[in-house]
Amino acid sequence: MVGKLFFIFGFIAAASAAVKLQELYSWNVLDWNYPDPYLKQQALQTGALIPQNALPVGIERWRNKLFVSVPRWRGGIPATLNYIPLDAPHEPSPKLTPYPSFKENELGDCENGLTTVYRIKADQCDRLWVLDVGTYGYDPNVTNLCPYAINVYDLNTDQRIRRYVFRPEDIVSTTFIANIALDEGLSCEDTFAYFSDELGYGLIAYSWEQNKSWRFSHSYFMPDPLVGDFNIAGLNFQWGAEGIFGIHTSPIGPDGYRTLYFSPLSSFTEFSVSTRILRDESKVTGSYKDFKVVGTRGPNTHTTAKVIDSSGVQLFNLIDQNAIGCWNSASELKPQNTAIVDKDDIGLIFPCDIKIDRGKNVWVISDRMPVFLESELNYGDINFRIYFAPLDSLISGTVCEPFPPLVSTPNTLQIPNSISPYYNIGLETLSQVPPQIFLPATSPRPLTSRYPLLSQNIIPKFPNNAYFPQSQPEKPNVSYRNPWFLKRNYQVFERPQA
């Protein structure tokens, strides 16, 4: 199986020298893997499966799984969270496999199942973060079957390890949350998640360690009333009420914190805020000036999804242009400093989600969403596509290429940007050594062991044939409270206190 995966990705990597994004999967209509034909036939007869009602919206890659979310906007969706096994024999239009199971995707089972999922995100501690919005149907015919709840799964065991329901104070009457951004610190416990409330115009922060959430409000979360008109796939429509949508965190900065970049859907402007603010519940009030205007992408640059690589390169979808754009965050954000890395007026109609995996490979899903919502899809045509390409091939020759790296001196130390042992491990065929950051060799505060690791998944269960870089050091036998990846021959720094 692994050999097949190597062959697929190796072929794509070779082809990417001539072409940009490579189509890996495509569908006229989605379908699901059932345990046997009888159960599938029964589902079709009862309306539990109506393939024409399914629209994929979110993706995430973890090792040999490519996750795909399908919201329950209409009836007949048997599972809202699914995956495609990347190590299986390649099929151009694979059936979706429910994750973790059909039972745990049961409509309306609030405590044990998932009702509707949009975006998903895997972290470097092998956890999958899933927000169940708990709704059935699409505006204006929406039913709230379950509360907004964060569900976190251990990807090594396929078991849910936490469910957290947002507080009433976090939700307003118009709340609609579709996006997740993660802020990973110095340990698995030191993880925050951020959620953009598109129609409630808020940003919700959640601390794994505290198991608590809080809500920020700001005028930068509001839509721009001047750019609420959209033209996609020959359709003209107005999404003028759409506020904060696309969000993602940067690599850790010199101050020990990340930057959260965000933009309303009905806007061409990018904004930001330090996670130093978002991590502190007391900053919910009095932090107005800590939110910054980054710049503008220029006309016709509505975006719903963005991601930032460890080198600081941001990729974002351009839903007006059937394209994927880029910007090097080390430069000023203005139209001259952005570029289109790929464009396809057929295949990239509404490139809904974009991710970069641990091997610096880009994944894009397109789904013709406005046609699905505002008109009617032609199921004799290809409607949904998933693309793949190495990041370096996409940005090669553009203004987004990273600047030449700094040269280390005897007074500098190289520290892995992610400070994580899991970055380069898994079924990666195009893995690269993660870029390095350079910090002074002295620090006012040495790192302490006050960050306990998540006991459920501190030791990943790797397959025997998993890919390990040749330079991977052996793991010393140390205790969990003194994790081995903080015991190497370099100094790591504790985040300064606010």
Side-chain angles (χ1 to χ4, degrees):
M1 293 298 184
V2 177
K4 295 181 185 295
L5 184 67
F6 283 13
F7 173 80
I8 293 172
F9 288 168
F11 172 80
I12 294 172
S16 65
V19 187
K20 294 289 188 175
L21 289 168
Q22 300 296 301
E23 184 179 294
L24 190 58
Y25 303 116
S26 63
W27 298 265
N28 303 75
V29 63
L30 294 181
D31 199 0
W32 271 263
N33 272 318
Y34 279 82
D36 59 66
Y38 172 77
L39 289 176
K40 180 176 180 179
Q41 186 62 31
Q42 188 180 44
L44 288 168
Q45 291 175 350
T46 62
L49 172 61
I50 307 176
Q52 293 80 2
N53 284 354
L55 183 86
V57 301
I59 55 172
E60 177 66 304
R61 191 266 174 105
W62 178 82
R63 298 192 192 169
N64 64 338
K65 286 184 173 69
L66 182 65
F67 290 95
V68 179
S69 65
V70 183
R72 285 187 165 111
W73 282 338
R74 299 173 183 171
I77 309 302
T80 184
L81 180 60
N82 313 272
Y83 73 94
I84 300 167
L86 295 175
D87 54 355
H90 182 258
E91 298 180 38
S93 305
K95 296 178 181 179
L96 302 181
T97 300
Y99 185 89
S101 66
F102 276 107
K103 181 175 178 55
E104 289 169 278
N105 276 270
E106 186 175 339
L107 176 67
D109 185 354
C110 303
E111 292 292 333
N112 306 302
L114 298 169
T115 296
T116 286
V117 171
Y118 291 101
R119 300 286 168 79
I120 57 254
K121 185 69 178 174
D123 67 17
Q124 295 188 66
C125 296
D126 294 337
R127 296 174 297 196
L128 185 68
W129 294 70
V130 180
L131 179 67
D132 183 6
V133 302
T135 59
Y136 174 74
Y138 182 74
D139 185 56
N141 301 310
V142 177
T143 302
N144 289 86
L145 299 178
C146 302
Y148 278 88
I150 304 169
N151 295 263
V152 183
Y153 296 86
D154 181 342
L155 287 165
N156 293 300
T157 64
D158 299 329
Q159 299 295 313
R160 190 177 69 180
I161 55 178
R162 180 172 293 183
R163 178 177 182 264
Y164 175 85
V165 177
F166 282 135
R167 305 175 308 157
E169 303 96 304
D170 299 329
I171 305 299
V172 298
S173 60
T174 56
T175 286
F176 175 79
I177 303 172
N179 262 322
I180 301 175
L182 295 183
D183 174 16
E184 301 175 65
L186 302 179
S187 73
C188 298
E189 285 286 292
D190 185 28
T191 302
F192 285 72
Y194 308 116
F195 304 86
S196 55
D197 186 349
E198 175 192 3
L199 298 180
Y201 312 134
L203 182 67
I204 301 172
Y206 169 77
S207 166
W208 174 272
E209 186 172 19
Q210 299 177 49
N211 195 29
K212 186 179 180 182
S213 56
W214 46 89
R215 179 186 178 94
F216 286 84
S217 298
H218 202 283
S219 58
Y220 292 168
F221 301 160
M222 307 288 287
D224 182 343
L226 301 180
V227 297
D229 191 55
F230 291 74
N231 292 278
I232 301 173
L235 296 172
N236 174 248
F237 52 93
Q238 289 73 46
W239 281 352
E242 317 298 313
I244 179 173
F245 201 107
I247 57 175
H248 203 276
T249 52
S250 74
I252 296 176
D255 64 348
Y257 293 92
R258 302 179 190 270
T259 296
L260 181 81
Y261 290 96
F262 65 91
S263 58
L265 172 52
S266 182
S267 175
F268 302 150
T269 304
E270 186 88 349
F271 304 93
S272 71
V273 63
S274 170
T275 59
R276 178 180 63 85
I277 304 301
L278 301 180
R279 282 169 163 253
D280 187 349
E281 185 181 3
S282 70
K283 299 291 186 180
V284 167
T285 59
S287 60
Y288 182 89
K289 295 184 178 179
D290 291 303
F291 289 75
K292 309 296 182 183
V293 177
V294 178
T296 180
R297 295 177 295 273
N300 297 319
T301 57
H302 295 112
T303 183
T304 65
K306 60 190 67 178
V307 62
I308 301 177
D309 176 61
S310 56
S311 63
V313 174
Q314 184 190 88
L315 296 182
F316 46 87
N317 62 347
L318 293 166
I319 59 176
D320 309 85
Q321 303 181 47
N322 306 323
I324 302 297
C326 70
W327 165 59
N328 187 334
S329 61
S331 62
E332 179 185 358
L333 178 56
K334 55 185 179 180
Q336 301 94 306
N337 289 338
T338 66
I340 290 179
V341 300
D342 206 351
K343 176 179 172 66
D344 187 334
D345 289 332
I346 295 178
L348 284 177
I349 294 178
F350 210 85
C352 186
D353 198 8
I354 180 170
K355 294 291 173 61
I356 301 176
D357 66 23
R358 298 178 189 179
K360 294 174 69 68
N361 309 309
V362 179
W363 299 82
V364 174
I365 185 170
S366 65
D367 64 5
R368 300 187 173 182
M369 184 188 297
V371 182
F372 179 86
L373 296 177
E374 306 290 337
S375 182
E376 186 175 347
L377 290 174
N378 175 9
Y379 291 103
D381 197 4
I382 295 176
N383 292 304
F384 319 126
R385 293 174 169 89
I386 292 179
Y387 294 92
F388 168 94
L391 174 63
D392 291 344
S393 76
L394 286 180
I395 63 175
S396 177
T398 72
V399 295
C400 306
E401 283 191 288
F403 299 142
L406 299 173
V407 178
S408 59
T409 68
N411 292 325
T412 63
L413 289 171
Q414 297 185 359
I415 302 176
N417 194 32
S418 61
I419 317 182
S420 168
Y422 311 123
Y423 190 94
N424 240 13
I425 297 174
L427 297 174
E428 306 290 351
T429 61
L430 297 174
S431 297
Q432 301 179 15
V433 176
Q436 309 296 309
I437 59 173
F438 300 90
L439 297 176
T442 59
S443 170
R445 292 188 180 94
L447 180 69
T448 68
S449 60
R450 66 184 180 87
Y451 298 100
L453 293 176
L454 180 65
S455 60
Q456 291 94 327
N457 51 12
I458 175 59
I459 304 178
K461 301 177 178 63
F462 303 118
N464 294 332
N465 52 10
Y467 170 74
F468 288 84
Q470 292 183 356
S471 59
Q472 180 73 24
E474 293 186 3
K475 184 168 63 175
N477 184 19
V478 295
S479 70
Y480 293 164
R481 290 195 172 275
N482 293 284
W484 67 271
F485 64 93
L486 299 182
K487 285 290 187 179
R488 297 179 184 170
N489 295 323
Y490 49 68
Q491 185 179 5
V492 189
F493 306 104
E494 185 182 53
R495 177 180 288 108
Q497 299 299 314

